[in-house]
Amino acid sequence: MIVALRAAEFFAYHGFYPEEQHTGNCFIVDIEVEFTPTASSGLHTDDINDTVNYEELYDIANKHMQQPQKLIETLATLILEDVKARYGFLDRINISIKKQNPLAGAKVKYTEIIVGYNK
């Protein structure tokens, strides 16, 4: 089973350069997790505790988006570690962070990093 949070938008102050940390930027976060439901879990019980709550995925991302980092690689890794700690039964986690308008004066829609975990 796959549960995904797609295109969560945040305005934050991540960036290597001081001007990025001062002016901020728009970031897009995707979180995709995969797990194997058991016969007594999510698909049959209709209990949110037997699956991954995408609202909690958003809360984890939001917490880290509010804590500036120089590298979005670091940011994505911190989000991944929190998701993994909260949901120890996951088989796979992918975190994608897109930084919109990353280069002043250049025509680039976004840069993206992806970090992943496979059990």
Side-chain angles (χ1 to χ4, degrees), residues 72-83 95 97 113 115:
I72 57 176
E73 292 87 336
T74 302
L75 178 63
T77 300
L78 292 169
I79 294 170
L80 185 140
E81 289 172 353
D82 269 9
V83 170
I95 310 292
I97 300 179
I113 63 93
V115 297

Side-chain angles (χ1 to χ4, degrees), residues 21-109:
Q21 297 165 15
H22 178 71
T23 60
N25 206 332
C26 185
F27 295 84
I28 307 297
V29 177
D30 294 319
I31 302 174
E32 182 176 284
V33 300
E34 185 173 358
F35 65 97
T36 304
T38 62
S40 63
S41 70
L43 296 176
H44 303 289
T45 66
D46 207 26
D47 185 344
I48 198 165
N49 295 312
D50 291 332
T51 187
V52 175
N53 182 340
Y54 53 80
E55 191 173 359
E56 288 183 1
L57 295 179
Y58 178 88
D59 290 344
I60 290 169
N62 186 48
K63 176 182 84 171
H64 287 288
M65 292 306 293
Q66 304 309 313
Q67 301 168 357
Q69 301 293 329
K70 287 185 178 180
L71 300 176
I72 57 176
E73 292 87 336
T74 302
L75 178 63
T77 300
L78 292 169
I79 294 170
L80 185 140
E81 289 172 353
D82 269 9
V83 170
K84 186 178 172 185
R86 171 61 182 93
Y87 296 103
F89 57 86
L90 297 176
D91 298 320
R92 184 180 61 81
I93 306 168
N94 279 333
I95 310 292
S96 162
I97 300 179
K98 296 175 183 80
K99 183 178 192 177
Q100 295 187 325
N101 305 309
L103 303 170
K107 187 172 180 172
V108 176
K109 188 171 184 175

